[in-house]
């Protein structure tokens, strides 16, 4: 049995609480938030508090708080030499006050407020200053909620966090632009959804490099020109041009090779 | 029963042939390619030819050829007043020689050479010059292979084709960049796959506008700066900056509203 005190009241804290609460091998001893209101509906399930000085004993303390608050709250904790971890992708483990045993428990997924989270689909990036004693606790905790733990150091976690912004926020913005383009001609955005899913699914079989197709990779100038001309929004045009350039940079040697072999024919 | 003559030997032609061949209500009378070699392995299933003057009768002729070839081949066809359609997203219906009854049968999906295609996941955009007589044939053909037909005019199809480049090629390039970023720190790209799938899946519940989250939308300057600093490749930086600007343009009024309401508190 792993005992936990959870701190924070946002999406990550709430989804972690629900998962811990269901897990047989985890006991949430207490849930802290500066503001008790969001925790009220859970008070029959767990001891809740808004007073850091009244925190109970536990195997680990999880700071599921905003990035900016990690350092402050960790130094306000009225004890030392206990395992304290944060859940952030972009905050260093060393932002946690050095009086604690320090670690990170970063779930790499996008959480919606309302939808339930299936933690078997959430990789957990774990890091601990003390590999021998503390990392096994974090590993066990991840497994207890059905998640796959991965040992990830701070540099790797920072890279994953930036990369997550690309595949989540930027990809979603690309979807948004596709929505604007289809809407501008009264076409249905929904027709693109099977293609969107297949583009994501293809990564099960192929690397993104191998999966690439289309006019930019083929250097099909006629279609590229037609598309640029068709885009009415200057901002859409700029994104089209930059990402086309990016694809051609990635597949550049290939394009040169194809052009050369065409010349030789 | 709908009888078809198929022209072309690429991915789209091959996947269409396989689907037609399985469909009870479709008969492929003949398969034409300028070069017979790629069709050889199908010659026990269908009459194959490389001679346009020997094309047989059929209810419709499907030009699944490269964009540039549509106009030429259509005018070389040794008959007139029959239904001739192309399968391209970006070619106008009017590129087909006007001696024919003209139409479009555009499958909106990405096709891999080897993987089998499930046409229930392929929306078919159909267009016909003669709505009353010819469109029902195209609708019936789409349904016969398990696909959903959608009436889409040429402007809408052009918009869908550009939008498809965004959600397929550009999204895939975003995945590629995420791969480069994770690899540069020895982190596993595979950890991002559940997030990639969830980002696509979310569109079942929410528009891309509503689904957006992250530092650009929140205008979280600290994280944005940290990310820009962490990106070593100038090209990655340029894409990060442009797509961040794009998100802030889309959600701009929201950011201003949040800032104003913060000021008021």
């Amino acid at each position: 049995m792993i005992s936990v005190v959870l701190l924070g009241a946002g999406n990550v804290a709430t989804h972690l609480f629900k998962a811990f609460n269901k897990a047989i091998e985890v006991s949430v001893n207490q849930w802290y938030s500066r503001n008790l209101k969001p925790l009220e509906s859970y008070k029959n399930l767990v001891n809740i508090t808004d007073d850091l000085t009244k925190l109970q004993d536990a195997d680990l303390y999880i700071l599921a708080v905003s990035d900016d608050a990690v350092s402050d709250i960790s130094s306000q904790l009225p004890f030392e030499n206990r395992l304290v971890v944060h859940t952030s992708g972009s905050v260093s483990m060393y932002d946690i006050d050095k009086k604690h045993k320090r670690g990170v428990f970063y779930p790499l997924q996008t959480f919606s407020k309302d939808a339930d989270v299936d933690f078997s689909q959430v990789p957990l990036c774990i890091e601990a200053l003390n590999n021998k004693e503390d990392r096994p606790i974090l590993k066990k905790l991840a497994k207890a909620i059905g998640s796959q733990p991965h040992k990830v150091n701070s540099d790797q976690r920072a890279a994953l966090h930036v990369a997550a912004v690309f595949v989540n926020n930027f990809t979603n913005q690309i979807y948004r632009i596709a929505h604007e383009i289809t809407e501008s001609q009264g076409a249905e955005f929904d027709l693109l959804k099977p293609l969107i899913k297949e583009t994501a699914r293809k990564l099960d079989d192929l690397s993104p490099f191998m999966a690439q197709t289309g006019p930019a990779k083929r250097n099909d100038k006629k279609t590229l020109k037609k598309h640029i001309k068709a885009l009415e929004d200057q901002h859409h045009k700029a994104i089209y041009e930059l990402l086309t350039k990016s694809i051609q940079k990635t597949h550049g040697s290939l394009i040169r090779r194809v052009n050369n072999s065409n010349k030789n024919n």
Side-chain angles (χ1 to χ4, degrees), chain A residues 55-220:
Chain A
L55 289 188
Q56 300 181 1
D57 279 3
D59 293 328
L60 82 159
Y61 296 78
I62 300 179
L63 307 178
V65 297
S66 68
D67 290 0
D68 288 341
V70 167
S71 170
D72 268 7
I73 294 195
S74 74
S75 50
Q76 287 170 42
L77 294 177
F79 50 74
E80 48 192 58
N81 266 320
R82 297 188 198 169
L83 178 56
V84 175
V85 302
H86 72 64
T87 60
S88 165
S90 67
V91 172
S92 162
M93 180 168 67
Y94 300 97
D95 277 20
I96 298 170
D97 193 292
K98 67 174 186 294
K99 69 183 176 182
H100 304 296
K101 300 196 229 166
R102 295 175 278 182
V104 178
F105 191 76
Y106 167 49
L108 182 41
Q109 186 50 282
T110 172
F111 294 120
S112 306
K113 199 155 196 168
D114 303 319
D116 270 3
V117 173
D118 171 6
F119 273 88
S120 74
Q121 296 307 311
V122 182
L124 262 158
C125 305
I126 62 173
E127 184 178 5
L129 199 57
N130 184 326
N131 276 331
K132 222 166 146 187
E133 276 178 33
D134 297 336
R135 204 168 64 209
I137 298 175
L138 299 179
K139 261 175 95 165
K140 204 173 150 191
L141 186 64
K143 284 183 181 166
I145 57 174
S147 172
Q148 199 63 38
H150 297 268
K151 187 186 157 194
V152 170
N153 68 33
S154 282
D155 287 344
Q156 291 168 337
R157 184 160 41 82
L160 284 165
H161 191 254
V162 183
V165 165
F166 275 82
V167 303
N168 180 17
N169 306 151
F170 293 170
T171 292
N172 188 68
Q173 181 64 7
I174 297 284
Y175 299 160
R176 164 66 192 180
I177 290 169
H179 196 170
E180 290 172 3
I181 293 169
T182 49
E183 230 170 27
S184 75
Q185 297 296 338
E188 283 177 70
F189 174 69
D190 280 7
L191 296 193
L192 294 167
K193 287 184 181 172
L195 178 59
I196 285 172
K197 293 227 174 110
E198 176 61 13
T199 304
R201 196 214 55 76
K202 245 187 181 175
L203 298 184
D204 290 344
D205 304 329
L206 296 171
S207 71
F209 182 88
M210 293 304 292
Q212 193 59 280
T213 61
K217 183 184 166 191
R218 285 197 312 273
N219 199 22
D220 170 355

